């Protein structure tokens, strides 16, 4: 029982990568403000990119514009996606975070007790530098790094 939550609220990528048969986010029976995640191939998924643009949240919807919001609002959106979703019984909830060490990551670390972090990077020097900073941030907040994954390791940058 797996859930996947795209918390890159400034650039949600899940709707670009995954195309569920029914991408509609629906209200949960648990109460107002609660939603059900979308189910796709047995995985419960949610992303700001699936939320209706009528929600009033900047950047929501499949064709959402720029998610222009300051830290406190970004934190509220993250909290709403996390705690306002009726995930049901899950064995694991994977959180896809934006790169960096900003408000989204800090909100997550303050609101949840994380089992661990997996850092994903590409071979570029800049991406590796950012990944190292992310690992250092999680370590300083008591979150163990479970793995570091180099995506696109085969890719060679031409000089």
């Amino acid at each position: 029982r797996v859930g996947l939550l795209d918390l890159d609220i400034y650039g949600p990528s899940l709707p670009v990568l995954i195309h569920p048969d029914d991408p509609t986010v629906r209200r949960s029976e648990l109460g107002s403000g609660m939603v059900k995640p979308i189910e796709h191939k047995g995985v419960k998924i949610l992303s700001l990119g699936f939320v209706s643009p009528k929600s009033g949240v900047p950047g929501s919807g499949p064709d959402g514009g720029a998610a222009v919001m300051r830290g406190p609002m970004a934190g509220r959106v993250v909290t709403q996606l996390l705690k306002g979703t009726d995930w049901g019984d899950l064995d694991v909830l994977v959180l896809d975070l934006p790169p960096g060490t900003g408000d989204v990551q800090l909100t997550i670390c303050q609101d949840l007790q994380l089992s661990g972090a997996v850092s994903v990077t590409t071979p570029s020097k800049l991406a590796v530098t950012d990944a190292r900073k992310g690992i250092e941030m999680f370590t300083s907040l008591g979150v163990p790094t479970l793995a570091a994954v180099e995506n696109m390791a085969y890719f060679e940058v031409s000089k």
Side-chain angles (χ1 to χ4, degrees):
R1 299 173 299 182
V2 176
L4 173 59
L5 178 56
D6 178 4
L7 287 175
D8 190 348
I9 58 173
Y10 298 108
S13 56
L14 202 55
V16 175
L17 301 172
I18 297 175
H19 304 284
D21 293 332
D22 182 4
T24 306
V25 176
R26 293 184 167 78
R27 294 187 188 276
S28 168
E29 301 83 32
L30 292 182
S32 65
M34 295 290 291
V35 298
K36 290 182 183 180
I38 297 164
E39 291 218 24
H40 180 66
K41 297 188 179 190
V43 177
K44 294 179 179 181
I45 61 173
L46 190 59
S47 169
L48 184 60
F50 289 126
V51 174
S52 170
K54 295 178 184 176
S55 68
V57 179
S60 60
D63 299 317
V68 180
M69 57 183 97
R70 293 190 186 274
M73 185 174 182
R76 286 192 297 275
V77 170
V78 166
T79 300
Q80 180 64 36
L81 288 170
L82 269 172
K83 297 183 176 180
T85 303
D86 177 9
W87 292 102
D89 292 328
L90 294 176
D91 295 314
V92 65
L93 178 60
V94 177
L95 306 176
D96 178 17
L97 304 178
T101 57
D103 292 306
V104 171
Q105 291 84 345
L106 292 174
T107 298
I108 294 299
C109 289
Q110 291 170 347
D111 286 357
L112 300 175
Q113 184 164 352
L114 300 175
S115 300
V118 174
S119 180
V120 180
T121 185
T122 62
S124 84
K125 188 174 182 179
L126 180 59
V128 170
T129 299
D130 285 347
R132 280 193 183 123
K133 289 178 183 180
I135 290 169
E136 289 172 10
M137 179 205 67
F138 281 115
T139 300
S140 73
L141 295 171
V143 178
T145 298
L146 305 176
V149 177
E150 186 180 61
N151 195 11
M152 297 174 52
Y154 61 89
F155 183 76
E156 292 186 30
V157 179
S158 60
K159 296 181 181 185

